[in-house]
């Protein structure tokens, strides 16, 4: 019953994978559910519009695939919003316009800079850069809270000068705890993004300690995603999911249909 709830295809600006290829690979991997979560990143640095999904074309293609694969796998219509405080009203209107099953809110841009590029780290310490990233998550949460989960909340460590060499939950505990408490207070879930393993971090995003702390604080909504942009990365290291979530204190994982959460026993993953 494994479900991959973070997947990109050619409708996202950083993938050239046909949706059919992802669905066919999901069948080969015997996934029970696959949620497409194409990028919608508005107001990107430099006026870049490559992450503006053509939602009408995306939805049309999704409906076609849903019908084609109806007897084989559950396909879900999702979106990954690139959050910035000034986009709150635009995002609210956008979500009202389309029948999404699932919405991820993620931080890809911090005060008009993308942490993917080295210039985000210029002229300051890695710690200062990471702190700004985490503090920007709180800014986003105070401005907008209509997503179902927050994606890869320590995404920034994938691209820092030393990645996660000097990074830990304890090093940023104060701001991370505030993020987790705010998510819980607003009824927003947390994503366990397995892309951290793909990027060589040796941990999911967020790390095991953060997952555990989220559960300790009362967090209940937890989804699992590979962040795959290619078929070969679909369900990446999913054989680790059950142990990771169990050790963090979860006995279930979460899927969404029509924006409503459903809790499935972890032993079925």
């Amino acid at each position: 019953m494994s479900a991959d709830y973070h997947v990109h295809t050619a409708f996202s600006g950083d993938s050239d994978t046909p949706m059919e290829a992802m669905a066919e690979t999901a069948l080969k991997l015997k996934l029970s559910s696959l949620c497409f979560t194409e990028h919608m990143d508005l107001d990107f640095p430099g006026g870049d519009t490559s992450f503006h999904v053509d939602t009408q074309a995306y939805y049309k293609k999704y409906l076609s695939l849903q019908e084609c694969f109806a007897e084989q796998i559950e396909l879900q219509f999702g979106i990954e919003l690139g959050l910035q405080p000034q986009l709150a009203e635009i995002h609210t209107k956008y979500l009202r316009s389309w029948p999404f099953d699932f919405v991820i809110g993620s931080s890809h841009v911090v005060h008009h800079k993308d942490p993917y590029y080295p210039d985000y780290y210029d002229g300051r310490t890695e710690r200062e850069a990471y702190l700004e990233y985490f503090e920007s998550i709180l800014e986003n949460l105070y401005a907008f809270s209509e997503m179902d989960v927050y994606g890869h909340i320590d995404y920034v460590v994938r691209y820092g000068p030393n990645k996660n060499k000097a990074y830990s939950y304890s090093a940023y505990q104060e701001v991370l705890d505030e993020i987790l408490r705010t998510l819980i207070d607003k009824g927003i879930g947390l994503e366990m993004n397995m892309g951290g393993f793909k990027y060589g971090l040796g941990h999911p995003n967020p790390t095991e300690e953060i997952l555990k702390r989220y559960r300790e604080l009362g967090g209940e909504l937890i989804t699992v995603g590979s962040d795959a942009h290619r078929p070969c990365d679909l369900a990446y290291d999913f054989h680790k999911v059950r142990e990771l979530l169990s050790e963090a204190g979860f006995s279930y994982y979460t899927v969404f249909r029509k924006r409503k959460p459903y809790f499935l026993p972890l032993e079925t993953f």
Side-chain angles (χ1 to χ4, degrees):
M1 293 179 66
S2 300
D4 195 332
Y5 263 62
H6 194 146
V7 176
H8 298 283
T9 74
F11 285 103
S12 290
D14 52 359
S15 173
D16 57 6
T17 300
M19 289 182 75
E20 296 95 331
M22 282 298 194
E24 290 164 359
T25 301
L27 281 177
K28 293 177 182 177
L29 294 172
K30 299 182 179 180
L31 297 183
S32 62
S33 184
L34 180 71
C35 186
F36 299 105
T37 53
E38 308 296 358
H39 282 297
M40 176 57 94
D41 278 75
L42 303 173
D43 202 10
F44 216 75
D48 185 356
T49 61
S50 61
F51 293 105
H52 293 194
V53 62
D54 182 342
T55 313
Q56 185 172 350
Y58 167 36
Y59 186 50
K60 181 178 179 180
K61 183 65 175 181
Y62 162 76
L63 290 176
S64 174
L65 283 184
Q66 186 187 46
E67 181 178 358
C68 180
F69 287 86
E71 301 301 320
Q72 303 171 80
I73 186 172
E74 180 182 40
L75 300 179
Q76 302 288 3
F77 180 51
I79 198 76
E80 181 181 13
L81 296 177
L83 302 180
Q84 298 183 65
Q86 73 274 17
L87 298 175
E89 185 175 346
I90 294 172
H91 284 159
T92 294
K93 291 179 180 178
Y94 177 67
L95 293 184
R96 290 174 181 171
S97 300
W98 298 97
F100 292 113
D101 289 296
F102 178 60
V103 177
I104 301 174
S106 295
S107 294
H108 298 133
V109 174
V110 180
H111 304 141
H112 308 291
K113 286 191 174 184
D114 183 351
Y116 178 83
Y117 295 105
D119 65 344
Y120 174 75
Y121 307 91
D122 288 348
R124 55 181 169 168
T125 66
E126 185 177 72
R127 178 175 175 80
E128 289 170 336
Y130 285 8
L131 275 175
E132 183 182 10
Y133 180 87
F134 293 132
E135 289 166 355
S136 78
I137 290 179
L138 290 170
E139 294 170 8
N140 288 329
L141 286 169
Y142 297 149
F144 180 81
S145 58
E146 296 182 38
M147 54 285 199
D148 298 311
V149 303
Y150 215 106
H152 46 51
I153 66 168
D154 54 7
Y155 162 91
V156 68
V157 304
R158 293 181 182 176
Y159 308 111
N162 300 293
K163 294 194 173 183
N164 61 344
K165 184 177 180 180
Y167 167 72
S168 66
Y169 161 69
S170 59
Y172 299 88
Q173 181 174 352
E174 185 175 352
V175 65
L176 287 169
D177 277 359
E178 187 173 354
I179 290 170
L180 297 177
R181 289 191 178 98
T182 304
L183 290 175
I184 293 166
D185 289 346
K186 292 181 176 292
I188 301 168
L190 185 67
E191 175 195 43
M192 183 171 76
N193 187 302
M194 299 298 283
F197 290 105
K198 181 180 68 178
Y199 285 92
L201 302 180
H203 303 276
N205 295 117
T207 63
E208 295 89 338
E209 289 178 300
I210 297 172
L211 295 169
K212 183 177 180 180
R213 182 59 172 156
Y214 171 70
R215 187 71 191 101
E216 288 175 348
L217 291 171
E220 297 181 335
L221 297 168
I222 187 81
T223 60
V224 182
S226 66
D227 209 347
H229 292 68
R230 305 174 299 171
C232 62
D233 294 327
L234 196 65
Y236 196 92
D237 272 1
F238 269 26
H239 64 280
K240 299 176 180 178
V241 167
R242 193 183 301 183
E243 182 178 357
L244 287 168
L245 288 182
S246 178
E247 290 182 351
F250 291 91
S251 59
Y252 54 83
Y253 65 102
T254 314
V255 297
F256 281 78
R257 301 182 184 97
K258 304 301 181 186
R259 307 293 308 278
K260 181 179 179 181
Y262 294 83
F263 299 93
L264 302 179
L266 188 54
E267 59 264 25
T268 66
F269 196 95

